[in-house]
Amino acid sequence: MRTIENRIEDMIPNALNAMLGVALLMTPWYLGLNNETAAARNALVCGAAIAVVAVLAMAKSYDWEETIALAIGLWVSIAPWALGFADTRYPMWLHVGIGLAVASLAAFELWRIFVSPQAHSV
């Protein structure tokens, strides 16, 4: 397992992921979605998971946290097609946009963990 201690400026990607997770979590209420729809359930579960993982990674980034964030971000971006709500305009685009943003930030953090001279194995 690889890890890196975060300085204040290093917390920005994880703080952004936390905000994106909260935004996804709030999507069902903002768009007035029925909580029984696949889009709403996926937004609630994945938004909460993204926010929790991002908060855990604030002080110290572990490779497993960022790998989980990357996987969730990629899932969120393909969920409209996998769960069958690609025909709903706003939920689909919010899932794709937030998913790709989360995946990009997590990929950046993984790159930083594996390339940075400050990174070390635990």
Side-chain angles (χ1 to χ4, degrees), residues 21-62:
V22 170
L24 186 62
L25 180 67
M26 296 180 69
T27 297
W29 294 288
Y30 178 72
L31 295 178
L33 298 176
N34 179 353
N35 284 340
E36 299 301 315
T37 65
R41 286 191 306 255
N42 192 67
L44 292 171
V45 172
C46 292
I50 291 166
V52 167
V53 170
V55 169
L56 288 175
M58 288 287 242
K60 184 184 274 190
S61 292
Y62 291 93

Side-chain angles (χ1 to χ4, degrees), residues 27-96:
T27 297
W29 294 288
Y30 178 72
L31 295 178
L33 298 176
N34 179 353
N35 284 340
E36 299 301 315
T37 65
R41 286 191 306 255
N42 192 67
L44 292 171
V45 172
C46 292
I50 291 166
V52 167
V53 170
V55 169
L56 288 175
M58 288 287 242
K60 184 184 274 190
S61 292
Y62 291 93
D63 57 353
W64 64 266
E65 291 169 327
E66 301 305 336
T67 302
I68 289 171
L70 177 66
I72 296 170
L74 292 174
W75 165 253
V76 169
S77 66
I78 65 164
W81 293 274
L83 298 177
F85 62 92
D87 58 338
T88 59
R89 184 175 175 189
Y90 294 115
M92 188 266 294
W93 283 112
L94 282 170
H95 272 77
V96 171

